[in-house]
Amino acid sequence: SKTTGSFKEKDNRTAEQTELIELRKENQRLKMENDILKQAALIFGRKS
């Protein structure tokens, strides 16, 4: 809090912590998209 002047956790993270959080969010989003695509492939595979 001395360097940022803020007591909020997000304002006091290191660059590495912020990057890790962002990468985890992106990883979760990509996993969700992958699951959706797998389900769509199964649905379209049945129709053919």
Side-chain angles (χ1 to χ4, degrees), residues 35-48:
D35 287 342
I36 291 168
L37 290 172
K38 284 179 184 177
Q39 291 174 5
L42 288 173
I43 291 169
F44 286 114
R46 289 186 201 143
K47 291 183 178 180
S48 299

Side-chain angles (χ1 to χ4, degrees), residues 3-25:
T3 56
T4 62
S6 175
F7 288 101
K8 294 181 182 176
E9 183 181 356
K10 70 176 187 167
D11 294 335
N12 292 306
R13 291 184 184 131
T14 64
E16 290 83 12
Q17 289 172 322
T18 303
E19 181 181 17
L20 182 59
I21 290 167
E22 290 300 316
L23 289 172
R24 285 180 176 163
K25 285 180 186 178

